[in-house]
Amino acid sequence: MRDVEAYSRLAGFYDEIVIDPCHDRWASFLHELWSADPEGVRFVLDLCCGTGLLAGELIARGYRVVGVDASNAMLALARERLGPEVTLSRMTLPDLAVDGVFDAAVCTFDGLNYLTPDELRSTMGAVAVCLRPAGWLVFDLHTDGMMTFTISNPIVAGQSAGNDFVISSSVDPGARTCDTRIELTRPREGDPFSEQHRQYFHGDAEVRASLHDAGFAVIAVGEEYTHEPADASTLRATWTARRSSPVAKRTTVTP
C-alpha cells in the first residue's frame, strides 16, 4: 500500500468517509449566533476550509466567505463546489496572509488540532489581526474526552460509499499527541493508499491562555455546535470567542 501526503488522495474521498452530514446544522448554529450581533456579520474567514462544505452552507445563508486551507487537493474540490467567485487560497497556519477585515472567523472539524501548542498561539494572534473589534472566532477542538475515547478505540474499520477503510490511532497521553493512519484498503477507484496524520490535544487552560494573549474573550465552550455547555463527556467542543483587545494595525482591503 502506497503512503501519500496527508489530504492528497484522501481529499477525493473525504466527504464520503470522514465527514458526517452536519454542516447544515453547524451553519444554522453560527447564523443564529451571529444574527444577535447588532453590528452585523457579513464577511467570514473560513480557516482549514477543506472541500468547502461549511462555506457553501454559509454562502447559502447570505454570508460572503473567504476560505484558506493547506491542501491543494482539498481546495480544488472546494473551487468546484463553490465556483470562481469565492476567494480560496492555499495557506498553512499560522501563516495567514489574507486581505480584508472580517466580521467572523471559523475553523471546523478539528482543524486547529493539527497545530502544535506554539502554532496554536501564533494562529490566534494572526486571526485577531484579521477581525474587526468585537469580531467573532468560532472553532471546535477534540477534547480530553476524545483522547480517552481514542485510547479505548484505537482502530475503526468500515465501508462507506463503496470504500473500505481502516483508521488506526496511537495516542501519547503525556505528549498529548495522536498519530492516525487512514488506509483505504479498497477505494471505489484507484489503488489502495494510506495517509499519516498527527493531531494535538490542546488542554482547556492552554486554549484559554492562547485566546487571552491574542486579545480574545471566551464567550462559551459548548457541546458540538449547540448551546449545551461542554462537560467531561464532550468529544468535540465548540469554542466561541470575541476580539476584545486592540491588536496591531494592518492595511486591509474589504473582501
Side-chain angles (χ1 to χ4, degrees), residues 140-199:
D140 62 63
L141 289 171
H142 282 163
T143 64
D144 284 9
M146 178 64 86
M147 181 164 60
T148 301
F149 177 85
T150 305
I151 292 171
S152 300
N153 301 272
I155 298 176
V156 176
Q159 184 180 73
S160 178
N163 304 290
D164 292 345
F165 64 90
V166 179
I167 302 175
S168 307
S169 298
S170 176
V171 175
D172 183 335
R176 300 183 65 87
T177 58
C178 180
D179 290 305
T180 299
R181 179 170 291 277
I182 302 175
E183 299 176 285
L184 264 73
T185 56
R186 191 176 299 170
R188 55 175 165 71
E189 58 182 38
D191 297 328
F193 67 91
S194 66
E195 294 187 2
Q196 187 75 24
H197 298 248
R198 166 164 281 201
Q199 291 192 324

Side-chain angles (χ1 to χ4, degrees), residues 81-226:
R81 171 172 281 123
L82 303 175
E85 67 278 4
V86 177
T87 300
L88 299 169
S89 301
R90 184 182 183 279
M91 295 182 193
T92 301
L93 298 175
D95 296 330
L96 190 56
V98 292
D99 292 327
V101 177
F102 295 87
D103 301 304
V106 296
C107 188
T108 57
F109 261 106
D110 51 276
L112 296 183
N113 283 110
Y114 280 86
L115 304 178
T116 67
D118 285 344
E119 290 170 340
L120 180 68
R121 286 190 290 272
S122 297
T123 295
M124 294 304 183
V127 173
V129 173
C130 298
L131 294 175
R132 64 162 167 84
W136 299 81
L137 173 58
V138 185
F139 59 95
D140 62 63
L141 289 171
H142 282 163
T143 64
D144 284 9
M146 178 64 86
M147 181 164 60
T148 301
F149 177 85
T150 305
I151 292 171
S152 300
N153 301 272
I155 298 176
V156 176
Q159 184 180 73
S160 178
N163 304 290
D164 292 345
F165 64 90
V166 179
I167 302 175
S168 307
S169 298
S170 176
V171 175
D172 183 335
R176 300 183 65 87
T177 58
C178 180
D179 290 305
T180 299
R181 179 170 291 277
I182 302 175
E183 299 176 285
L184 264 73
T185 56
R186 191 176 299 170
R188 55 175 165 71
E189 58 182 38
D191 297 328
F193 67 91
S194 66
E195 294 187 2
Q196 187 75 24
H197 298 248
R198 166 164 281 201
Q199 291 192 324
Y200 298 81
F201 292 102
H202 301 299
D204 182 272
E206 175 187 17
V207 179
R208 289 181 182 273
S210 296
L211 287 165
H212 177 270
D213 291 348
F216 285 101
V218 176
I219 304 301
V221 184
E223 178 77 30
E224 190 176 300
Y225 297 94
T226 71

